Amino acid sequence: MQTKPFRIGTRGSPLALAQAHEARDRLMAAHGLPEEMFEIVVLSTKGDRITDRSLAEIGGKGLFTEELEQQLVSGELDFAVHSAKDMPTHLPDGLHLSAFLPREDIRDAVIGRTAPKLIDLPHGATVGSSSLRRQALIRRMRPDINVIIFRGSVETRLRKLEEGQVDATLLALAGLKRLGKVEVLTDILDPDTFPPAPAQGAICIESRIGDTRIDELLAAVNDAATFDTVSCERAFLAALDGSCRTPIGGYAICEGDLIRFSGLIITPDGRSQHGVTTDGHRRDAAALGTRAGQDVRARAGSAFFDDWH
């Protein structure tokens, strides 16, 4: 029987802590364990410390996970809680995504200062976003808009907006809900015309492969529909070599035993794009995502990527 607390790794932002607490609370409820059986261990990552440059410039998604994964591999942590959209498609040897909590809303939210909707912003307005996908989709919708890099926690970006540094910014609706800040949003974007990042709205738990004790603990909180949809979306990313250097959107939806996927790649200027829509059986979720990625890559051709990588 476990006598010492399970050590849960997380980043230190308010959103990351909210996600770690949600994972802990679900595990407490599923296993009837007291709070003292879980210790939340906060680590600072390179992605948290360097906020004046884009993620593409400083190394991509792994900047939010490296320190946590080092302590997972060494055994200092039992598991780590992440925003699934922050996870690289290739994990360190010996680690896997072993559970996904029930998914929140996948959509992007607009927080407008000078107008509530992107379409209503004044000509030449400035919008802040750290996401290449959001930047490209904004430019597709409004080529006249000036899009600037806008990094930091949710609270930091909202403060910068209030200070007048930008006319609007975009955030994941899921994060606003988890932080109890839904009242700040001024518009919600339709995922069919403004597709979210793959895995947006999902919380994943990363652990060591072969640690059956932890696998059994986490299995009780794994949400099967989220596991299948995110597996499909991450496979699409992997087939496109998706990273923070690549504007890619896409989402999957489970309908009974079937899964439906829609994905998009777009150039950073928003001028050229290739989309794909497909469906299949949920048991083939990852293979479906892989085929979708291969299909869209073949239709786009290597020049589509080479022109802006």
Side-chain angles (χ1 to χ4, degrees):
M1 176 180 280
Q2 179 86 12
T3 56
K4 60 181 183 178
F6 294 101
R7 290 172 59 83
I8 306 172
T10 179
R11 295 162 58 198
S13 72
L15 180 55
L17 289 171
Q19 294 176 164
H21 285 128
E22 180 179 341
R24 180 201 63 189
D25 293 348
R26 288 182 180 274
L27 286 164
M28 286 167 54
H31 296 283
L33 292 171
E35 186 175 318
E36 54 265 27
M37 282 303 298
F38 297 92
E39 179 186 354
I40 293 179
V41 180
V42 177
L43 296 177
S44 173
T45 69
K46 187 176 181 182
D48 296 313
R49 294 188 295 270
I50 302 175
T51 60
D52 60 343
R53 285 174 280 165
S54 71
L55 293 177
E57 286 183 78
I58 57 175
K61 291 185 178 184
L63 294 168
F64 289 121
T65 61
E66 185 178 353
E67 288 83 353
L68 292 161
E69 289 172 332
Q70 287 172 350
Q71 293 208 9
L72 270 178
V73 170
S74 70
E76 294 173 78
L77 295 174
D78 290 302
F79 52 94
V81 178
H82 307 279
S83 291
K85 72 174 183 178
D86 289 340
M87 299 302 292
T89 53
H90 300 289
L91 303 180
D93 290 344
L95 300 181
H96 66 155
L97 301 185
S98 43
F100 291 88
L101 303 188
R103 197 171 194 173
E104 246 297 355
D105 203 304
I106 66 170
R107 296 174 294 176
D108 282 311
V110 178
I111 302 93
R113 185 177 58 84
T114 55
K117 299 176 182 289
L118 291 177
I119 201 68
D120 295 330
L121 287 171
H123 184 85
T126 298
V127 176
S129 176
S130 60
S131 159
L132 282 184
R133 171 191 60 87
R134 288 175 181 147
Q135 292 173 9
L137 291 171
I138 292 166
R139 291 183 179 117
R140 180 179 72 171
M141 180 189 295
R142 288 284 305 273
D144 63 293
I145 279 181
N146 176 35
V147 185
I148 66 169
I149 295 170
F150 209 57
R151 290 197 51 218
S153 67
V154 170
E155 292 77 11
T156 298
R157 282 181 271 180
L158 291 176
R159 175 181 53 77
K160 289 179 179 179
L161 175 68
E162 192 174 332
E163 290 172 352
Q165 295 187 27
V166 293
D167 293 287
T169 189
L170 274 64
L171 294 168
L173 179 53
L176 293 175
K177 287 186 172 184
R178 290 184 175 121
L179 289 170
K181 294 183 179 292
V182 175
E183 73 280 356
V184 303
L185 70 83
T186 57
D187 191 29
I188 298 174
L189 296 165
D190 183 341
D192 289 333
T193 56
F194 205 99
Q200 186 157 303
I203 297 171
C204 65
I205 304 179
E206 186 179 22
S207 62
R208 288 180 293 278
I209 295 171
D211 191 335
T212 55
R213 176 182 63 108
I214 296 300
D215 285 344
E216 290 170 5
L217 178 83
L218 300 178
V221 298
N222 181 58
D223 182 75
T226 304
F227 192 98
D228 291 345
T229 55
V230 175
S231 295
C232 179
E233 293 162 21
R234 283 175 55 77
F236 178 69
L237 264 185
L240 291 164
D241 192 27
S243 70
C244 286
R245 300 178 179 85
T246 317
I248 298 174
Y251 67 98
I253 296 174
C254 288
E255 299 170 338
D257 290 334
L258 300 178
I259 189 167
R260 180 165 51 88
F261 174 77
S262 177
L264 175 80
I265 57 172
I266 183 169
T267 50
D269 61 12
R271 293 179 181 175
S272 180
Q273 66 182 53
H274 294 275
V276 61
T277 301
T278 186
D279 56 53
H281 199 282
R282 280 175 60 175
R283 66 171 173 263
D284 303 319
L288 185 78
T290 298
R291 287 194 298 271
Q294 291 169 340
D295 173 56
V296 79
R297 177 181 275 279
R299 284 190 286 111
S302 60
F304 181 90
F305 299 90
D306 295 340
D307 285 349
W308 45 268
H309 258 181

